Amino acid sequence: MIELCVTADDYGLSRDVNAGIHSLAARDALSAVSVMVHREAQLDDVSVLRGRVVTGLHLMLVGERPLRAARLAPLLDAQGFLPMRYWGLFLQLLRHPGWLARLSDEIAAQVARYRTLGLPLHFINSHQHVHLLPPIWARVLQVVHGNAFPPAMRTAQPAPLGGVHQALLGVASRLAGRRQAAPARLSLQAIGLGFAGRSTLQDIDGALQRLGQIAAPRGRVLHELVVHPGLGDAPPAARHGAWGIRWRREHDLLLSDDFAAVLRRHGAAVMPAAAIAAALESP
């Protein structure tokens, strides 16, 4: 059987996104939720997640206003936003590698804010998966070290399970891990990153079919299907339209009989949050 950790990213982006995630968590359609904690994150009802799903930090290093705006001023646009796309951030860091130290301060600030929410820090990932860039990966590991390190980190499945974007992230993930292995108990190995946020049944069906044809991962690895559900159809803000995310479609897809049928056809199942939490807490 293929056990899937179905993770909803972007909690905190808007009230519609939060409501969609609450809706799915109440129906046991999610295994995990990653939470944004940038300056304007909507976190009034975050306690609803406690005990229902595995929870982690969704680092926001692109697209939003950071907590340490003064420190990151050289990276921000005129309205105080970080680069909208991951490649914009990467280009800035290539030109100014010294700015990585500034980014470390923002990572530390977001970890600290997350820890005030009263949620377990089960894992860390990031918006647009920028933590998989080896230099940023190393900074994340440096910030969350020792006993404070979360038991899981998101990596990327290296097989072509979601197009060119998935393949590139798989290469970045492999390079990052070779440069410095994370002291985590479990790797959440994401599949379908090329269509995450715009998933269709055909996308998921194809990814699961290919997943069934490759060798089972070694070590403590759990396959992760990344989704971006919400109850609204429109982007939370005009700038978010550039992401092309279909929040409502992904919410409805996860509750559909057709999605359940696709899982059954491939011998796959959504892993309950309690089972993942037990795996994370075991030595």
Side-chain angles (χ1 to χ4, degrees):
M1 172 174 285
I2 299 173
E3 293 183 313
L4 288 177
C5 174
V6 179
T7 302
D9 281 353
D10 291 359
Y11 188 94
L13 183 65
S14 73
R15 297 193 185 281
D16 280 347
V17 168
N18 293 358
I21 291 174
H22 291 162
S23 166
L24 293 172
R27 293 167 172 80
D28 297 323
L30 296 174
S31 310
V33 172
S34 61
V35 180
M36 300 174 166
V37 296
H38 58 281
R39 189 194 306 180
E40 292 155 343
Q42 304 290 317
L43 299 172
D44 293 344
D45 299 320
V46 71
S47 62
V48 173
L49 301 177
R50 189 180 302 119
R52 285 190 173 275
V53 289
V54 169
T55 52
L57 171 62
H58 194 56
L59 286 169
M60 286 301 296
L61 304 178
V62 289
E64 300 295 333
R65 291 189 175 104
L67 299 177
R68 297 284 181 88
R71 179 75 169 136
L72 287 177
L75 275 167
L76 307 183
D77 66 15
Q79 288 74 45
F81 289 99
L82 287 157
M84 196 64 187
R85 298 284 194 174
Y86 69 91
W87 49 261
L89 176 67
F90 294 175
L91 287 176
Q92 291 273 41
L93 295 177
L94 282 174
R95 293 174 185 146
H96 308 281
W99 290 358
L100 272 167
R102 298 172 184 259
L103 214 59
S104 293
D105 290 344
E106 179 64 21
I107 293 167
Q110 291 188 27
V111 170
R113 188 182 187 198
Y114 181 93
R115 292 191 184 280
T116 69
L117 300 179
L119 297 175
L121 181 60
H122 287 125
F123 61 89
I124 287 180
N125 58 41
S126 64
H127 198 59
Q128 299 184 28
H129 320 293
V130 297
H131 71 290
L132 296 177
L133 179 71
I136 296 179
W137 172 270
R139 295 287 174 159
V140 173
L141 299 193
Q142 182 181 355
V143 169
V144 283
H145 59 81
N147 294 331
F149 203 91
M153 289 282 287
R154 174 177 292 168
T155 59
Q157 164 60 247
L161 297 171
V164 174
H165 184 59
Q166 172 82 48
L168 290 174
L169 287 171
V171 171
S173 181
R174 191 180 307 167
L175 291 173
R178 286 179 178 173
R179 174 174 174 174
Q180 186 174 355
R185 299 191 189 102
L186 188 68
S187 172
L188 295 172
Q189 197 170 81
I191 65 173
L193 294 181
F195 54 74
R198 302 173 299 280
S199 303
T200 65
L201 285 170
Q202 291 74 21
D203 291 329
I204 296 171
D205 182 63
L208 290 176
Q209 181 176 355
R210 291 187 291 272
L211 188 61
Q213 296 170 351
I214 64 176
R218 296 179 180 178
R220 302 196 65 183
V221 175
L222 183 62
H223 293 303
E224 182 185 32
L225 178 65
V226 180
V227 294
H228 299 74
L231 290 187
D233 291 315
R239 67 183 184 280
H240 297 138
W243 295 340
I245 293 176
R246 303 293 297 276
W247 286 272
R248 183 71 197 220
R249 186 174 77 183
E250 289 214 331
H251 170 274
D252 294 349
L253 183 152
L254 292 176
L255 295 178
S256 69
D257 292 339
D258 289 338
F259 176 67
V262 166
L263 294 183
R264 287 195 300 270
R265 184 159 61 249
H266 294 285
V270 178
M271 195 171 181
I276 297 175
L280 294 175
E281 293 162 6
S282 65

